[in-house]
Amino acid sequence: MAGVRRLRWKIRLALLTALAVSLAFSSLALAALSWLKCLSLSRSLQAWESSLQRQGDVSMSLANVRSDLPQEVGSPAVRLSFLQGLLESKALTRIRRERRRDSGVKTKQPMAAHFEVMPNNVDGTYIVEKGGIIRQWLECPLETTKSAVTYNNKTARFTVHREGVYYIYSQVHCDDNTTAYLKLDVMVDKELTFRCVQGLPPTPTYSQQLAVHSCQASGLVRLRKKSQISVYSIAGVHLKPKTFTHFGLFKL
């Protein structure tokens, strides 16, 4: 009987040993498989980020997709969360691209223009010509805008590029004590559209300074394509040029 018991005990011990060895090998196999997957993902993510860097697009980088995650792309904590964030971001990017492509709508540039008068006299002022028309306008470049008009210095007229409702503004600035009033007229297609008339108070006899006065005119008007705009004041008046005497408009 004792021999039979020892034999049974040896068989049980052998079975337990075999089971333990089998579990150990299974754990090693699972660990190796997980390591291989992690290594493959790490290499894939590194290659993906390298591709983005070559294309100059860092908006989809690991740090930008999930900034709260560890930066070690091979760590177990980053894999599932990063892939989920990556898929969501890629999906949103694809949807935005498809919408832009399908809509075919391009962003319209705002139409505007701003001009300043350049001096035509040796003292640095602009003397209004006979008839009161103002010329010598120089366009000031405006960023991210398309010019609303074309200026012809020979005719001293602005030609509108596109029909629409515009806001027009203009100013003349006078450093002259020889005139009793200051005037500004904005003509559209030879019709008076905006006017400013300002009486100038007399300069005190004890003062050696010239009187400084401005006249502004502005408002909304509907313009046709190729409408002609011109600006008038008083012939012979000395206007202060550049930023002090200007004309501009923008399309609403």
Side-chain angles (χ1 to χ4, degrees):
M1 291 295 294
V4 173
R5 290 177 180 175
R6 284 196 296 271
L7 179 61
R8 290 177 178 177
W9 174 251
K10 289 181 180 180
I11 293 173
R12 291 176 181 176
L13 182 61
L15 289 174
L16 289 173
T17 302
L19 180 60
V21 171
S22 177
L23 290 174
F25 275 110
S26 298
S27 298
L28 287 175
L30 290 174
L33 181 61
S34 176
W35 181 83
L36 288 174
K37 289 182 178 180
C38 180
L39 180 61
S40 176
L41 176 61
S42 176
R43 290 175 178 174
S44 299
L45 296 179
Q46 290 172 357
W48 178 72
E49 289 212 307
S50 298
S51 175
L52 287 179
Q53 292 174 0
R54 288 194 301 270
Q55 298 174 8
D57 183 7
V58 295
S59 61
M60 291 293 297
S61 65
L62 173 61
N64 292 332
V65 173
R66 296 297 295 269
S67 59
D68 58 324
L69 294 177
Q71 298 304 301
E72 178 58 45
V73 293
S75 62
V78 79
R79 286 178 292 169
L80 181 60
S81 298
F82 172 74
L83 287 178
Q84 181 178 354
L86 173 62
L87 292 174
E88 293 173 353
S89 300
K90 294 283 284 184
L92 290 174
T93 302
R94 184 176 64 254
I95 291 172
R96 294 191 188 104
R97 288 175 179 172
E98 290 175 353
R99 286 178 178 176
R100 286 197 298 266
R101 184 176 62 251
D102 295 340
S103 64
V105 177
K106 296 182 179 180
T107 303
K108 294 182 179 180
Q109 265 192 321
M111 301 191 70
H114 182 83
F115 292 80
E116 297 177 354
V117 161
M118 294 295 102
N120 65 353
N121 193 28
V122 291
D123 64 355
T125 62
Y126 176 83
I127 303 177
V128 181
E129 299 180 12
K130 186 178 180 180
I133 195 165
I134 300 177
R135 65 177 82 242
Q136 295 295 111
W137 295 101
L138 179 66
E139 185 170 10
C140 301
L142 300 175
E143 294 183 2
T144 67
T145 58
K146 184 177 180 180
S147 183
V149 296
T150 300
Y151 175 64
N152 186 330
N153 195 55
K154 291 182 179 180
T155 62
R157 291 190 177 93
F158 304 91
T159 302
V160 178
H161 291 162
R162 187 176 299 175
E163 181 179 359
V165 177
Y166 288 79
Y167 181 81
I168 293 179
Y169 60 91
S170 186
Q171 172 182 286
V172 292
H173 186 97
C174 175
D175 289 355
D176 196 340
N177 56 7
T178 60
T179 180
Y181 70 100
L182 187 61
K183 184 179 75 168
L184 170 63
D185 289 343
V186 178
M187 310 285 290
V188 177
D189 294 327
K190 298 182 180 181
E191 293 185 2
L192 180 61
T193 305
F194 301 110
R195 165 171 282 181
C196 169
V197 178
Q198 178 179 316
L200 306 183
T203 304
T205 56
Y206 57 83
S207 175
Q208 299 299 319
Q209 296 180 351
L210 296 178
V212 179
H213 300 282
S214 296
C215 208
Q216 298 95 12
S218 61
L220 294 174
V221 61
R222 184 169 189 85
L223 300 175
R224 298 179 292 104
K225 185 177 180 180
K226 296 185 179 181
S227 286
Q228 303 284 311
I229 306 173
S230 51
V231 183
Y232 290 80
S233 188
I234 302 173
V237 171
H238 290 233
L239 300 178
K240 196 168 183 178
K242 299 184 179 179
T243 58
F244 296 94
T245 299
H246 56 255
F247 166 82
L249 75 169
F250 57 87
K251 187 175 183 294
L252 300 180

